[in-house]
Amino acid sequence: MGLGVLVYRFGTEWRLRADAQVARLAAQQAELAAQRTRLEASTAEIEKVRDEALRASAAKSRFVAMTSHEIRGPLNGLVGLSHALSDTELSPHQRGIVQSLRTSSDALTKVVGDLLDLARVEAGKIELAPSRVDVRELVEDIADAFSAGTMDKDLEIETVV
């Protein structure tokens, strides 16, 4: 074989390999373009879901704040009436019931306040501050809240801290 034939064969093989490499690169480029399109679609979907979640969270915060304010009025009336009732002449049994009512209404007032605080925290309008809690008093208040249901059943709740 002559030199010209070898150069021709080598050139043809090289061109075939180069063409195959170009075809592989074109296929990879097409796959990357498809992946980028899928990624952009996923990103748009994620942003849409995030925006919906933010709107739902804002709606929930508004609902909690409005509901808590609506509950607070009648609840304050119950607290005031229970305090007024405790200042009257009552039998020991009645005094225990009124004390349970006061404890429960005070606890519910704290829950409503906590809900309002939560709404303020989510809105970025409040700073949290740690506070001390008397654990004995907390446990006794919880026991008092549950004791109203036990009086009719001849049961007694005792606490140990």
Side-chain angles (χ1 to χ4, degrees):
M1 270 195 246
L3 183 60
V5 173
L6 284 174
V7 169
Y8 175 76
R9 287 177 97 188
F10 177 72
T12 303
E13 288 177 22
W14 180 82
R15 201 171 27 256
L16 290 174
R17 284 189 218 144
D19 289 345
Q21 185 68 20
V22 167
R24 281 194 298 275
L25 288 173
Q28 287 176 348
Q29 184 180 16
E31 177 60 29
L32 287 173
Q35 286 179 356
R36 182 169 56 198
T37 301
R38 288 191 299 270
L39 180 61
E40 288 170 353
S42 294
T43 301
E45 183 66 24
I46 288 169
E47 288 173 355
K48 180 182 172 187
V49 169
R50 183 201 66 210
D51 291 345
E52 289 173 6
L54 289 173
R55 281 192 297 274
S57 179
K60 177 205 51 124
S61 294
R62 284 190 307 272
F63 173 78
V64 167
M66 287 177 24
T67 304
S68 297
H69 280 294
E70 291 297 321
I71 292 172
R72 182 173 267 177
L75 182 58
N76 284 337
L78 289 173
V79 169
L81 289 173
S82 68
H83 285 270
L85 187 58
S86 68
D87 292 338
T88 63
E89 288 189 34
L90 300 170
S91 70
H93 177 71
Q94 291 170 327
R95 188 157 304 284
I97 292 172
V98 170
Q99 181 58 39
S100 293
L101 175 63
R102 286 178 64 176
T103 301
S104 295
S105 61
D106 288 343
L108 188 53
T109 300
K110 288 178 185 175
V111 169
V112 170
D114 290 345
L115 286 172
L116 287 169
D117 288 345
L118 177 63
R120 286 187 201 109
V121 167
E122 287 181 346
K125 297 180 180 179
I126 192 172
E127 292 184 24
L128 300 178
S131 62
R132 295 191 177 272
V133 174
D134 183 347
V135 176
R136 279 184 171 57
E137 183 178 326
L138 177 65
V139 170
E140 288 173 6
D141 288 347
I142 292 170
D144 284 345
F146 285 103
S147 68
T150 63
M151 289 182 189
D152 298 339
K153 298 175 185 169
D154 249 3
L155 297 173
E156 185 177 318
I157 293 180
E158 290 187 27
T159 61
V160 177
V161 178

